[in-house]
Structure formats: C-alpha cells, structure tokens
Amino acid sequence: MRTQHNTEEKEKTSPETVTFRIEHDALIELREESKLKMESLNILINQILKFYIEWHRPSLKAGNIPFSKRILARIFDILNDEQIDKMAQDYVKYEFKEQMRMLKRKYTLQSFIEAFCDWCEASGFPYRYDKTNDADIYILRFDMGSKWSVFYGKHMQYILQDLEVEDSEIEVTNNTVIFKIQR
C-alpha cells in the first residue's frame, strides 16, 4: 500500500516539459522578478501556476475580491467594538466554512492554518511562524490600524472556538495579530 501511495504521489509531482509562448514584455518582467528573487525562471513560473490553481481561481469562486487595504481600514475605523465583534462572529458562523470548502479545503485546524498561510501570501501580509516546545505561534502584521486588528483577532478567536481548539491565546496590537496554539 505504501509503495502505491508513493507512486501516485510521484506521478502528481513529476514535472513535465511543455512549451508556452509568452509576450515579450511579460517575459522581461518575469526574468527581472526571477533575478530579484534569486530563483530560476522555471521555479518562478511554477510558483505562479501553483498560486493560480491553489489560491487565486478557488478564491474568486469563493467570492473573494482584491480590495484596497486603506479603504478597508477606513471602513473598520467607523465601526464600534460591538459591530466589529458581531461582524467577526457572523462571518465565522455564516460564511467561513463555505469559504473553506470553496477553497477546496476541509474545515480542520490543519487546513485552516494552511489556508491562513496561503491567504497571507496572496494578500501580501507579512507573517511569521515560530514553533516552540509546547506551542505554534503565528504573528501577522497588517498595518491597517487597530480596528482591523481587533476584527481579525476576533475572527481568529471565533474560528478557533468553532474548531474546538481549547488552549489558544490571541494578542492584538495596533497593526499586528499574534495567535498561539498550544500543542
């Protein structure tokens, strides 16, 4: 059974050679990005394709749209604490599970963490993951003001409650949300 699984996995990840025609200006941009990231053009294009298949296309199907950080921050600045809490609670209760399923994810802690990391990458939010002997710690920087951070902290709190994660901590600052999950 194990060798069959390994063979199936190898078939999924085995590279194939294919030829594409790419517009000259786009190719110049890709080559510049490749040099900037110090990775081959092949690796960069594979990352772009994987990002499109695993995040961008499912995200659009799930109803997500790119939106300005500044306008979101301004909208949240108008809301009071009760409205922010209600919005976070309702989003998790009525929409989040559906979003996860549209993103081709299960609704488990592991799949949520994977989707969270993918979302951070897609949104351009810098985050850090630290692993200690007893906990996993995620630090996410928004630079969108305290009300957005409060919303996202509440959002995380309700997700972890819904996933029945019993031992977690969430810390919110003006621009950062830190969540710690005990193992």
Side-chain angles (χ1 to χ4, degrees), residues 36-89:
L36 185 67
K37 289 186 168 185
M38 294 188 284
E39 36 188 46
S40 73
L41 185 60
N42 182 64
I43 289 172
L44 178 62
I45 289 174
N46 274 293
Q47 289 172 348
I48 292 167
L49 292 171
K50 185 176 180 183
F51 172 74
Y52 175 79
I53 291 165
E54 292 182 1
W55 178 261
H56 183 72
R57 184 180 56 186
S59 182
L60 289 174
K61 287 180 180 180
N64 296 324
I65 59 172
F67 217 78
S68 165
K69 285 173 48 172
R70 288 189 180 111
I71 193 74
L72 282 176
R74 289 176 59 197
I75 290 168
F76 273 83
D77 284 344
I78 296 169
L79 302 175
N80 64 39
D81 290 344
E82 293 80 26
Q83 291 169 317
I84 290 171
D85 185 72
K86 176 91 169 110
M87 189 181 296
Q89 191 173 22

Side-chain angles (χ1 to χ4, degrees), residues 4 9 11 24 43 45 54 59 62 74 96-97 102 107 135 137 154 167 183:
Q4 180 183 1
E9 182 136 339
E11 287 175 8
H24 179 73
I43 289 172
I45 289 174
E54 292 182 1
S59 182
R74 289 176 59 197
F96 189 72
K97 288 178 193 174
M102 288 299 293
Y107 191 61
I137 303 166
K154 292 285 186 180
D167 202 3
R183 281 193 237 126

Side-chain angles (χ1 to χ4, degrees), residues 11 14 19 44 51 74 77 79 104 111 121 128 132 134 140 145-149 153 158 162 168:
E11 287 175 8
S14 295
T19 302
L44 178 62
F51 172 74
R74 289 176 59 197
D77 284 344
L79 302 175
K104 301 179 183 178
S111 63
E121 295 284 333
R128 191 174 90 210
T132 66
D134 62 342
L140 174 60
S146 63
K147 297 262 184 146
W148 173 263
S149 293
Y158 290 125
D162 198 46
S168 65

